[in-house]
Amino acid sequence: MLLLTFFVGLATACSKHALAQSFMHWGFLAWAVLGSLTALVLSKAHYSDGKPLQPRTLLYPVLGERVVKGRLGGLIDAFCVIAVVAGTVGPIGFLATQMSFGLHKGIQLLSRFNVVLALVIAGIIFLFGPTLFYVDTYVQAMGEYVSSFLTMATMTAQTAPDWWMKWWTVFFFAWFIGYTPLMAVFVSRISRGRTVRETILAVAVLAPIATTIWFTLLGGSGIYHQMAGTFDLTEALNNFRFDVATLTVAQALPGGTWMAAAILLLTTIFVATTGDSMSYSIAMVGAGHDEPSKWIRVFWGGAMALMAAILLYMGAGQIGVLQQFIVITAIPVSLVILPSLWTGPQAARASSRVFFCPDQ
């Protein structure tokens, strides 16, 4: 009993730092960038002021009509579409279009099913796995995340290894920045009729909490079983074989092979729904309104599938090139979303309690 207590304490102490870093990359900061402030700005301009549901509208509070109607607006939209296509092709393009291919109602059903499936998987892992370890790890990791937030958020190559900054922090932050304008378009579209409070609560609070809990359950399981000697993921992780690592962890969970199959299904559906959402957002940008033709969505879905297939065929080296391209495309997009830091709160105050209903 004492040995087990010591092991759990050691694993928790080691895992809290690792999970705190994952919370930094995928937690509140990422979701705040993904769709909160920018969605408020875009929704206010679209539903209240009648401006197009396009990335260029994010700069309307600063540059006025000239960015909405001029050539600069078209250039901004183009950069944002390129950035989100680059971010979508690598991790999700191929599987997404295999399953969705523009069938939006079917995707809505898949999304609801995926939420239920995720809750079931999380419940099984939590109840039949090392429950105390999960609870201790989450509490300590969240404490580390909150107390060291500014330190981790402002980490540079002077305080962290170059490879870490290049392949993790810079890449993930650039990825989220590239997604932001099109994600703001999507969030604005689906948030019509919602209050500002409801939108911020869903996107900036509940989404990162759900993400950090999921990371704790799956990532924490990997740490727990690695330290317990159930398996050794060192070689797989050193060789960036994350697919092997994920399935190895999944098979060690309660239910074994069945759990691995459920997680694979969950991931596939998530990939499909995310890809469909981005295809829809790109189609809205191209059409200039929020009811684009399904064939435009099919085109963008097929284009991303083709690009993803080409990258997979060319090998892992080209995926590295894509990662560098994602970082490059994030540079101009960051200038587009920068004004949202001050125009977002202004839009929230102007919208008061009712969220962007054109008939009010």
Side-chain angles (χ1 to χ4, degrees), residues 130-338:
T131 304
L132 181 61
F133 174 76
Y134 294 139
V135 174
D136 289 345
T137 298
Y138 185 79
V139 172
Q140 292 190 35
M142 186 57 71
E144 177 73 13
Y145 172 47
V146 172
S147 63
S148 303
F149 179 84
L150 291 178
T151 300
M152 291 190 292
T154 57
M155 187 179 296
T156 66
Q158 299 297 320
T159 55
D162 289 342
W163 66 268
W164 174 262
M165 295 301 299
K166 178 180 178 181
W167 293 109
W168 289 96
T169 302
V170 172
F171 168 65
F172 279 121
F173 283 179
W175 192 10
F176 295 132
I177 289 173
Y179 257 86
T180 296
L182 273 295
M183 185 61 73
V185 169
F186 182 74
V187 171
S188 298
R189 177 63 182 84
I190 65 175
S191 297
R192 180 176 180 175
R194 306 287 183 181
T195 64
V196 173
R197 183 181 292 108
E198 288 172 341
T199 302
I200 293 178
L201 180 64
V203 178
V205 179
L206 296 181
I209 288 177
T211 301
T212 54
I213 290 175
W214 179 257
F215 275 34
T216 301
L217 292 175
L218 197 59
S221 296
I223 295 173
Y224 181 88
H225 288 290
Q226 174 78 15
M227 298 192 67
T230 307
F231 47 62
D232 185 5
L233 298 177
T234 304
E235 183 178 354
L237 294 177
N238 286 339
N239 294 325
F240 296 94
R241 294 297 308 275
F242 302 122
D243 52 344
V244 174
T246 301
L247 288 177
T248 301
V249 173
Q251 289 178 336
L253 295 173
T257 303
W258 287 103
M259 182 62 74
I263 291 177
L264 181 60
L265 176 62
L266 179 74
T267 304
T268 303
I269 297 176
F270 171 77
V271 162
T273 53
T274 304
D276 182 77
S277 301
M278 289 302 97
S279 297
Y280 179 48
S281 299
I282 296 172
M284 281 194 289
V285 172
H289 53 81
D290 55 6
E291 294 295 337
S293 168
K294 66 177 181 180
W295 296 111
I296 299 178
R297 296 170 60 187
V298 168
F299 167 78
W300 281 108
M304 287 189 289
L306 179 61
M307 287 185 281
I310 293 174
L311 285 173
L312 291 172
Y313 176 76
M314 296 177 70
Q318 302 306 314
I319 299 296
V321 174
L322 177 63
Q323 288 179 316
Q324 297 175 21
F325 183 66
I326 290 173
V327 174
I328 294 173
T329 58
I331 296 174
V333 175
S334 65
L335 301 178
V336 176
I337 67 176
L338 181 61

